Amino acid sequence: MATSTFLSNATISITQGATTTDLSDQGNACTITVGYDALESTAFGDTGHRFTQGLQTVDVSIDFFLSYGAAEVEAILSSCLGTGTTVLTISPSGATESATNPEYVITNAMLASFTPINSTVGSLATVTAQFTGGTWVRDITAP
């Protein structure tokens, strides 16, 4: 049984090249899935499949409210598109890392595509950015 209630308020920073932009105030959903490739290491005489850790895997999905301008969502995502060099820094609540607020830094993430215009009459325009690949580090130490 859970011993505390957590209300999410993620911080999301995207770095492309030398420019880092905090897009926390433009996002409303964020999911990070981390893991490792499972490499089969089954040998003669084993009675079941055995696996060992391979390369890191990471997928990040972020829902943003679309905005347009020099340092806004559409421009930032456009600069990330197809580079495979994007750095994402994400924590569940605020910028100070701790055991109760781990920060994940994903380096060399790839944004293969996104929808720069998604308009419906009377609705806020949104976009889902799907980053994949790269390496990840979990940090719980305050700077």
Side-chain angles (χ1 to χ4, degrees):
M1 174 181 230
T3 58
S4 64
T5 301
F6 176 76
L7 298 176
S8 62
N9 188 25
T11 58
I12 304 164
S13 293
I14 296 179
T15 303
Q16 186 58 52
T19 304
T20 299
T21 307
D22 184 346
L23 292 177
S24 304
D25 64 342
Q26 298 292 316
N28 72 341
C30 181
T31 303
I32 302 173
T33 304
V34 296
Y36 294 92
D37 288 334
L39 304 178
E40 186 158 2
S41 59
T42 309
F44 295 119
D46 287 341
T47 58
H49 290 278
R50 294 178 54 193
F51 293 88
T52 189
Q53 173 181 306
L55 297 173
Q56 287 186 336
T57 61
V58 60
D59 290 295
V60 178
S61 177
I62 308 169
D63 293 345
F64 290 111
F65 295 107
L66 268 169
S67 56
Y68 301 91
E72 296 294 331
V73 171
E74 184 272 339
I76 299 303
L77 294 180
S78 289
S79 73
C80 298
L81 190 59
T83 66
T85 59
T86 302
V87 177
L88 305 168
T89 305
I90 303 169
S91 64
S93 182
T96 304
E97 341 37 279
S98 67
T100 59
N101 189 46
E103 176 182 83
Y104 283 81
V105 178
I106 296 94
T107 305
N108 293 326
M110 174 69 162
L111 179 65
S113 66
F114 81 104
T115 306
I117 299 174
N118 184 17
S119 297
T120 302
V121 172
S123 297
L124 292 173
T126 61
V127 62
T128 299
Q130 299 272 73
F131 292 89
T132 190
T135 58
W136 56 270
V137 173
R138 180 180 184 268
D139 184 8
I140 60 169
T141 57

